[in-house]
Structures are given as structure tokens and as C-alpha cells.
Amino acid sequence: MADGHRILLVEDDVLIGMMLVDMFDALGFPEPAQATTNEEALAIVAAGSIDAALIDINLGDEKGWPIADALAARNIPFAFTSGGGDVIPQEHAHRKLVAKPFRLSDIEATLGGFFV
């Protein structure tokens, strides 16, 4: 499934990030590029080595919308992750939302959908 695709994982909770990295590994994906803030993620996106992304909507006091905008401008597929209660802006309302707590099957379906 992975075929060497590089995925950006934007998650501010270290334990959730570690769990997602384990899920990527179980699904045969390489270790993702990781960021915990908008600033870190935008730098990775600007470097140009990302094929897809999972973006946590709530990053501490920030929202992940600037990352979503940057990825959309580059036609890089992405999905949001959230613990719930978030309203996705209209311009990104068509993007997939993966709810926490994560199930491996949901992550597999989301990542697989990026590279169809």
C-alpha cells in the first residue's frame, strides 16, 4: 500500500502521535514526517517532500487551518483528525474527518484513499 509515499502527521499530543506512527508501520507506511504546530508543519510542506497529510484540527491554542490551506494550494491530499466538536471551514468541508479514538481500519481507509 505504501509505495514509498511520504505522509505528514500533524498532532500535538505526543502519545497520540506515537500511536499513529505505530499504525503507519503496521500498515506498511514509512515513518511520517511529524509536526506539532502550524509553524513546523508549514515548514515541512514548504520543503515539498509530502504526498499526503493527516492534520489534527486542534493544535494547542491553534487550529490546523493554515496547514490545510497550504496543502490544498499544492493539491496535496489530506484529512483532518479530531476528538470532536469542530466545525470544518466551508472550503475544506469535503475533506475526510477521522474521529478520535482512532481505529486501525479508519487510518487504513484514509491513507489508502490518498493513493488510489
Side-chain angles (χ1 to χ4, degrees):
M1 176 192 285
D3 294 334
H5 294 293
R6 187 69 191 260
I7 299 171
L8 170 60
L9 173 59
V10 185
E11 173 58 64
D12 65 326
D13 184 301
V14 174
L15 292 178
I16 293 174
M18 290 170 55
M19 179 189 66
L20 283 167
V21 168
D22 287 345
M23 288 181 169
F24 279 41
D25 183 56
L27 295 169
F29 281 89
E31 185 169 338
Q34 296 182 62
T36 60
T37 66
N38 281 328
E39 183 178 357
E40 291 173 359
L42 291 170
I44 293 168
V45 171
S49 62
I50 299 301
D51 299 306
L54 287 179
I55 308 168
D56 184 12
I57 292 175
N58 294 300
L59 301 169
D61 293 333
E62 304 177 313
K63 297 284 188 181
W65 312 137
I67 306 161
D69 293 341
L71 292 166
R74 291 167 175 79
N75 293 314
I76 298 171
F78 63 91
F80 294 109
T81 66
S82 176
D86 295 296
V87 177
I88 297 174
Q90 184 61 36
E91 62 269 25
H92 299 300
H94 64 287
R95 304 291 178 173
K96 184 167 184 160
L97 174 64
V98 184
K100 297 175 185 177
F102 302 120
R103 293 186 317 217
L104 185 61
S105 60
D106 293 335
I107 299 300
E108 181 176 30
T110 301
L111 297 179
F114 292 151
F115 308 114
V116 174

